[in-house]
Amino acid sequence: MPSFPRSELDEMVQRWLDANRRCEEAGDWRPLAELYTEDATYGWNVGPGQDFMAVGRDEIRDLVLGSEMGGLDGWIYPYQRVLVDDRAGEVVGFWKQIADAERPGGGAYEVAGIGGSWFRYGGDFRWSWQRDWFDLGNVTSLFVEMMKAGTLSEGMKRRLDRAASGERIPGYYPRGESPVPLW
């Protein structure tokens, strides 16, 4: 892994955080794609039998930031802590997932557990690699709670219906069959 000047990585992190805030406010995550190299990869695990992988900036824009963020309009993902390794050119960020819907008794719906992203810097203020992790059990539990309370967005209901249909969803692969290794 190439090393990068700490100041450059710190600036990349700040650009990333600023762009995330703008996308949250706009309700459109797709502009974040410009912060990835043309050949970047972005993936996550979806349990014991399935991985998600987007290969290239276009798939990241269309699949990760477009369809996968669909139904999460109004959600915010505030970063709690960011750790930078300038020798390896890598960054780890820990974030929360908070819905814009309120619980019947008050307070926001928030995914419990730890969520985060591991980034590899590709130079020129772009990520070349990203892997996310989150507690799928806690995500599922929150969606079920929101469904029962009638606060799940129409977009998320459509996503869950599509996932339950058994239809092959672009980017999802049986464990070990993604076009590039997850980790």
Side-chain angles (χ1 to χ4, degrees), residues 16 20 23 28-44 52-70 117-120 126-132 170-171 173 179-180:
W16 176 256
N20 268 271
C23 290
D28 182 3
W29 299 91
R30 292 171 297 174
L32 288 177
E34 295 310 311
L35 295 174
Y36 293 90
T37 61
E38 193 66 38
D39 61 347
T41 62
Y42 187 150
W44 57 81
F52 175 89
M53 184 60 65
V55 179
R57 185 184 298 152
D58 292 338
E59 280 194 8
I60 291 171
R61 178 184 297 107
D62 297 342
L63 299 179
V64 175
L65 304 170
S67 61
E68 287 301 304
M69 291 302 289
S117 298
W118 176 13
F119 302 91
R120 186 165 298 139
R126 288 186 166 79
W127 303 121
S128 64
W129 185 92
Q130 180 175 345
R131 300 300 183 265
D132 287 352
Y173 297 90
V180 296

Side-chain angles (χ1 to χ4, degrees), residues 6-125:
R6 176 61 187 244
S7 59
E8 185 175 341
L9 283 165
D10 287 343
E11 184 176 342
M12 177 62 201
V13 167
Q14 192 57 56
R15 287 181 185 200
W16 176 256
L17 295 173
D18 291 344
N20 268 271
R21 280 191 285 279
R22 286 191 303 274
C23 290
E24 284 175 352
E25 290 168 6
D28 182 3
W29 299 91
R30 292 171 297 174
L32 288 177
E34 295 310 311
L35 295 174
Y36 293 90
T37 61
E38 193 66 38
D39 61 347
T41 62
Y42 187 150
W44 57 81
N45 176 260
V46 193
Q50 195 172 47
D51 295 324
F52 175 89
M53 184 60 65
V55 179
R57 185 184 298 152
D58 292 338
E59 280 194 8
I60 291 171
R61 178 184 297 107
D62 297 342
L63 299 179
V64 175
L65 304 170
S67 61
E68 287 301 304
M69 291 302 289
L72 298 170
D73 310 349
W75 285 61
I76 60 171
Y77 292 79
Y79 278 78
Q80 304 303 296
R81 181 80 60 217
V82 177
L83 307 172
V84 177
D85 181 345
D86 50 328
R87 288 174 294 161
E90 297 183 351
V91 172
V92 175
F94 299 93
W95 36 258
K96 293 183 177 193
Q97 294 174 275
I98 304 171
D100 61 343
E102 249 192 60
R103 284 192 159 90
Y109 288 96
E110 180 180 327
V111 175
I114 297 174
S117 298
W118 176 13
F119 302 91
R120 186 165 298 139
Y121 185 59
D124 197 28
F125 299 103

